[in-house]
Amino acid sequence: MDQRVAFTLPFGNGIEVHWYGIIIAAALILAVLIGCLEAKRRGYRSEMVLDFMLIAIPLGIIFARLYYVVFEWPLYAADPIRMLYIWEGGLAIYGAVIGGVLAVFIFSKWRKISAGELLDIAAPSIILAQAIGRWGNYVNQEAHGTQILDPAWQWFPAGVQIFENGQLVWYMATFFYESIWNLIVFAVLMLLKKKIKVRGGIFALYGILYGFGRFFIESLRTDSLMLGHLRISQIVSIALIAGGILFLIFMPRRQKQLPAYDGFYSLSWTPEQLEAYKAENSMKNHKKKDSKDNGDEDKN
């Protein structure tokens, strides 16, 4: 049996459930729980995180796939429909982050919440999910480094055994290196989350620290997405580091003090306020619908 398959569901010809999917789902669930706790600490109801994920998950998947496809286009040029076959693999974490950031700005405009605040809530969850998700690469025997020829280094976690041409071969366990680095970054963010006051500062620190580790670990990998002779992830890492540093230097001087949030997701809202808000919105939506219907009738 394929070691990537956790179990098979007895439906149709059998639906295989892969360890990779289970690991990613577990990482996502834990990330949501961490996000809910951080949101509550900042005065928001946990529903905010759940509503945000309804936007962030689809956009994260779409952009993770697009990012990969763009830089591996020769694999899909002859049969573009294969771009939709995400079960064959090919999701890039930097693409997922881009999709998530886009979701933050969409959600912040919709619910009138500071984008920087949302990014800070998300940052620890993102890096923890990345740390756990890397073990999916271990199951899939991917995202490893160069071959280890010296027997003195042929042990885990320095290396990992990969099946190749019917035999086990030792490769650098870059997935493990990044997982450990991400856990360190998570610990740092959790320690500093109360000390960095500038909105967006925790996310900026995430970009700096993750980018720093990813830059060096990426140089050891054998499956990097390339742009000519340059590794795309290293270019993005440099951009994250530079952008994060510039943000932390200059943004505190420009940022204005905003009043405390007092909207739909506020912990201070009573059940009566929430029901009144929902009723008011429902009434507005009905009026808009009636107005649109009357407009259509006039056109006819």
Side-chain angles (χ1 to χ4, degrees):
M1 177 178 160
D2 189 340
Q3 70 170 8
R4 295 174 298 177
V5 178
F7 55 88
T8 302
L9 297 174
F11 303 112
N13 295 326
I15 300 175
E16 293 181 341
V17 178
H18 289 241
W19 280 113
Y20 184 86
I22 293 173
I23 292 170
I24 295 300
L28 185 60
I29 291 170
L30 187 56
V32 169
L33 291 175
I34 295 295
C36 287
L37 291 174
E38 180 60 13
K40 283 187 175 182
R41 187 185 72 83
R42 291 172 180 261
Y44 302 92
R45 292 186 295 113
S46 58
E47 286 88 338
M48 182 185 75
V49 176
L50 300 177
D51 288 350
F52 169 69
M53 295 305 293
L54 293 177
I55 301 174
I57 291 176
L59 284 179
I61 293 173
I62 291 169
F63 277 84
R65 184 60 169 173
L66 285 176
Y67 186 101
Y68 180 84
V69 169
V70 165
F71 295 109
E72 291 285 8
W73 179 243
L75 297 177
Y76 303 94
D79 187 15
I81 195 66
R82 285 188 57 222
M83 290 188 294
L84 303 177
Y85 301 167
I86 61 174
W87 54 87
E88 293 182 352
L91 298 173
I93 186 60
Y94 272 141
V97 172
I98 292 170
V101 171
L102 177 60
V104 162
F105 285 100
I106 293 173
F107 191 80
S108 68
K109 292 293 184 182
W110 176 38
R111 287 302 192 184
K112 305 297 186 294
I113 300 172
S114 165
E117 184 92 334
L118 287 171
L119 287 171
D120 286 343
I121 290 171
S125 297
I126 293 171
I127 196 66
L128 181 61
Q130 288 176 245
I132 297 170
R134 276 303 176 197
W135 286 89
N137 298 135
Y138 169 69
V139 176
N140 282 358
Q141 298 195 333
E142 60 190 6
H144 56 74
T146 55
Q147 187 175 350
I148 299 176
L149 300 176
D150 186 351
W153 290 98
Q154 291 178 346
W155 47 272
F156 186 82
V160 62
Q161 288 184 305
I162 302 294
F163 274 105
E164 194 173 82
N165 299 323
Q167 60 181 350
L168 287 170
V169 182
W170 282 96
Y171 286 92
M172 299 182 75
T174 48
F175 80 90
F176 178 79
Y177 308 160
E178 186 175 324
S179 180
I180 294 301
W181 175 252
N182 290 348
L183 287 175
I184 293 171
V185 174
F186 171 74
V188 172
L189 296 184
M190 294 300 284
L191 287 172
L192 297 180
K193 65 183 181 179
K194 294 181 181 179
K195 296 182 179 180
I196 297 179
K197 302 300 183 182
V198 59
R199 293 184 304 279
I202 294 297
F203 187 82
L205 184 59
Y206 153 79
I208 295 168
L209 295 178
Y210 175 68
F212 179 81
R214 180 66 184 267
F215 179 87
F216 291 102
I217 294 169
E218 190 69 23
S219 66
L220 305 175
R221 287 178 57 170
T222 59
D223 60 347
S224 299
L225 296 175
M226 305 295 290
L227 182 63
H229 298 293
L230 301 175
R231 297 174 189 258
I232 298 300
S233 288
Q234 288 187 311
I235 296 173
V236 177
S237 294
I238 292 172
L240 276 178
I241 295 169
I245 291 173
L246 290 173
F247 182 92
L248 290 176
I249 291 174
F250 294 107
M251 188 53 70
R253 305 175 189 176
R254 300 169 55 90
Q255 200 165 84
K256 298 178 181 178
Q257 185 67 34
L258 293 178
Y261 175 77
D262 184 28
F264 178 69
Y265 295 111
S266 175
L267 278 175
S268 63
W269 274 31
T270 65
E272 291 75 19
Q273 284 178 298
L274 292 173
E275 289 304 319
Y277 179 86
K278 291 176 182 179
E280 183 182 350
N281 271 1
S282 178
M283 188 177 297
K284 287 180 181 178
N285 290 334
H286 279 303
K287 287 182 179 179
K288 286 181 181 178
K289 184 178 183 302
D290 291 341
S291 176
K292 183 178 182 301
D293 290 342
N294 291 334
D296 290 341
E297 288 176 6
D298 292 341
K299 291 177 182 177
N300 293 332

